[in-house]
């Protein structure tokens, strides 16, 4: 793994030297824009529409548009000074329960490994967090950006998850057309809860896959091989108007096939066997 950051976790007066590694990877399939006429990849040019020429990086400043067409400009040094001293420290401010944090706050996960001289302090924090069941809420600066973070244990590794600040989370009150109150049919509600129970299972992430990415990779392989791509048609779906019928059909589909029990029914004798029996009698 590539080290993306070096620093230390601090809680109280304890410092734990660590290295940071990305815990996730983006597996989106990257495609470039191509000129169809000659199949040449296109480049994006930093061009000034007023001067009608390409602009070099040293000529570029950052600007905030405070009203349409009007900007205040900042040089890179000004923004760096506003950010204050960037420390290589993950400073734990509080310890909380993981269940206290809504998943909407989480952004990106990083694994933290002990630095060459920090194994003892790392193991101490790891074991203390395991036994307490708590996670740390910390502040950290990565590439001049200040972030809030959650420090927790994943398997036998200390992990850091950057999280949004509260004012970065939009209020649900901004979502249009939300129901003001829940008016549901009691029988439909009971059946819906039964369906949820039927579909409830332990979380096994390995059974989920990115079907779209697999389809694109397969299409790429076919195109490279010169094969014609055929796409299966979408199955026809009917609009089910009756909610109760949809719930019942879903429950019926989840039911296991009934097992037969008891003695098997006797096979019916043929007419010839009946005739022989009558003759003997």
């Amino acid at each position: 793994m590539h080290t993306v950051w070096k620093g230390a976790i601090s809680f109280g007066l304890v410092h734990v030297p660590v290295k940071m590694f990305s815990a996730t990877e983006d597996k989106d399939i990257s495609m470039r824009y191509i000129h169809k006429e000659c199949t040449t990849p296109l480049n994006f040019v930093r061009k000034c529409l007023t001067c009608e020429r390409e602009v070099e990086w040293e000529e570029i400043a950052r600007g905030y548009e405070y009203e349409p067409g009007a900007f205040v400009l900042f040089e890179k040094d000004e923004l760096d000074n506003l950010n204050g001293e960037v420390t290589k420290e993950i400073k734990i401010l509080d310890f909380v329960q993981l269940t206290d944090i809504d998943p909407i706050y989480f952004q990106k996960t990083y694994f933290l490994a002990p630095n060459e001289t920090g194994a003892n302090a790392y193991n101490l924090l790891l074991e203390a967090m395991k036994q307490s069941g708590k996670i740390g809420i910390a502040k950290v600066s990565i590439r001049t950006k200040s972030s809030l973070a959650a420090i927790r244990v994943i398997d036998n590794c200390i992990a850091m998850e950057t999280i949004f600040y509260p004012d970065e989370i939009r209020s649900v009150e901004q979502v249009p057309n939300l129901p003001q109150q829940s008016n549901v049919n009691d029988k439909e509600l009971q059946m819906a809860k039964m369906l949820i129970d039927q579909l409830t299972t332990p979380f096994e992430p390995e059974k989920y896959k990115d079907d779209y990415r697999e389809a694109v990779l397969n299409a790429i392989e076919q195109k490279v091989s010169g094969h014609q791509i055929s796409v299966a048609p979408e199955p026809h779906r009917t609009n089910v108007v009756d909610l109760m019928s949809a719930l019942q059909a879903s429950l019926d589909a989840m039911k296991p096939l009934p097992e037969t029990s008891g003695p098997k029914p006797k096979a019916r004798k043929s007419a010839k066997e009946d005739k022989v029996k009558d003759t003997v009698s």
Side-chain angles (χ1 to χ4, degrees), residues 271-281:
K272 184 177 180 180
E273 289 176 319
D274 290 339
K275 186 175 181 180
V276 171
K277 183 178 179 181
D278 293 339
T279 304
V280 174
S281 302

Side-chain angles (χ1 to χ4, degrees), residues 70-84:
F71 297 86
V72 289
L73 303 184
F74 290 90
E75 296 295 333
K76 182 179 182 302
D77 292 343
E78 290 182 274
L79 295 175
D80 290 344
N81 291 334
L82 292 174
N83 193 39

Side-chain angles (χ1 to χ4, degrees), residues 9 11 13-16 95 114 118-132 153 156 158:
I9 305 171
F11 62 109
L13 299 178
V14 179
H15 284 253
V16 185
F95 284 93
N120 290 337
Y122 184 95
N123 290 333
L124 176 64
L125 177 58
L126 178 71
E127 193 60 32
M129 292 180 69
K130 274 185 179 180
Q131 294 193 20
S132 69
V153 175
N156 203 40
I158 297 177

Side-chain angles (χ1 to χ4, degrees), residues 39-187:
T39 68
T40 300
L42 300 178
N43 294 324
F44 291 93
V45 179
R46 299 179 303 277
K47 184 177 181 180
C48 176
L49 298 179
T50 301
C51 301
E52 295 185 347
R53 66 177 179 87
E54 187 176 350
V55 179
E56 300 297 330
W57 279 113
E58 56 267 20
E59 301 179 80
I60 296 175
R62 304 291 295 273
Y64 176 79
E65 190 173 15
Y66 61 93
E67 61 181 47
F71 297 86
V72 289
L73 303 184
F74 290 90
E75 296 295 333
K76 182 179 182 302
D77 292 343
E78 290 182 274
L79 295 175
D80 290 344
N81 291 334
L82 292 174
N83 193 39
E85 183 182 359
V86 178
T87 61
K88 293 290 187 177
E89 182 181 39
I90 304 170
K91 185 174 180 58
I92 296 178
L93 308 174
D94 301 292
F95 284 93
V96 302
Q97 297 287 351
L98 177 59
T99 52
D100 291 344
I101 306 177
D102 191 283
I104 195 173
Y105 282 93
F106 293 114
Q107 289 179 306
K108 184 173 176 59
T109 306
Y110 298 90
F111 291 141
L112 302 177
N115 210 336
E116 289 77 6
T117 59
N120 290 337
Y122 184 95
N123 290 333
L124 176 64
L125 177 58
L126 178 71
E127 193 60 32
M129 292 180 69
K130 274 185 179 180
Q131 294 193 20
S132 69
K134 304 288 180 61
I135 68 168
I137 300 299
K139 274 194 171 183
V140 61
S141 292
I142 305 175
R143 300 188 184 95
T144 73
K145 176 177 170 54
S146 175
S147 297
L148 205 58
I151 309 300
R152 67 190 187 98
V153 175
I154 298 179
D155 293 333
N156 203 40
C157 175
I158 297 177
M160 184 189 83
E161 300 195 43
T162 53
I163 59 180
F164 291 105
Y165 284 100
D167 59 355
E168 294 178 303
I169 305 296
R170 290 177 174 173
S171 170
V172 295
E173 295 177 357
Q174 300 178 33
V175 182
N177 303 322
L178 290 181
Q180 296 301 315
Q181 56 184 1
S182 300
N183 295 320
V184 296
N185 179 281
D186 288 340
K187 189 172 183 181

